[in-house]
């Protein structure tokens, strides 16, 4: 998954304004105690991060 697709999916689910805030502030155990930005910076793939976000935030299957 390309980062542009990842960020579009984040914006589609959370809203454009909240997606970045969520990605900076929400620490998830599924990301090893990291935020989305920290996980991406640590080398996690966008696809792996999106899977964790979907699981933790119960993103509907039609948006996955």
């Amino acid at each position: 998954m390309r980062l542009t697709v990842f960020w579009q999916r984040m914006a589609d689910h959370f809203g454009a304004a909240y997606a970045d805030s969520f990605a900076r502030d929400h620490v998830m155990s599924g990301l090893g105690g990291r935020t989305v930005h920290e996980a991406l910076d640590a080398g996690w793939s966008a696809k792996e991060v999106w899977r964790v976000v979907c699981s933790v935030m119960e993103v509907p299957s039609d948006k996955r």
Side-chain angles (χ1 to χ4, degrees):
M1 170 187 295
R2 294 177 181 246
L3 277 175
T4 54
V5 172
F6 171 81
W7 288 114
Q8 183 58 53
R9 288 184 183 186
M10 289 285 288
D12 289 346
H13 182 70
F14 295 104
Y18 183 61
D20 187 60
S21 177
F22 173 86
R24 290 188 187 285
D25 299 333
H26 193 86
V27 175
M28 292 179 268
S29 61
L31 296 176
R34 296 177 179 92
T35 66
V36 166
H37 282 288
E38 291 170 339
L40 292 170
D41 289 345
W44 288 55
S45 74
K47 187 174 185 176
E48 291 173 311
V49 174
W50 181 243
R51 285 183 179 157
V52 172
V53 170
C54 288
S55 175
V56 170
M57 300 308 294
E58 299 178 357
V59 175
S61 60
D62 64 322
K63 289 190 173 186
R64 292 181 181 206

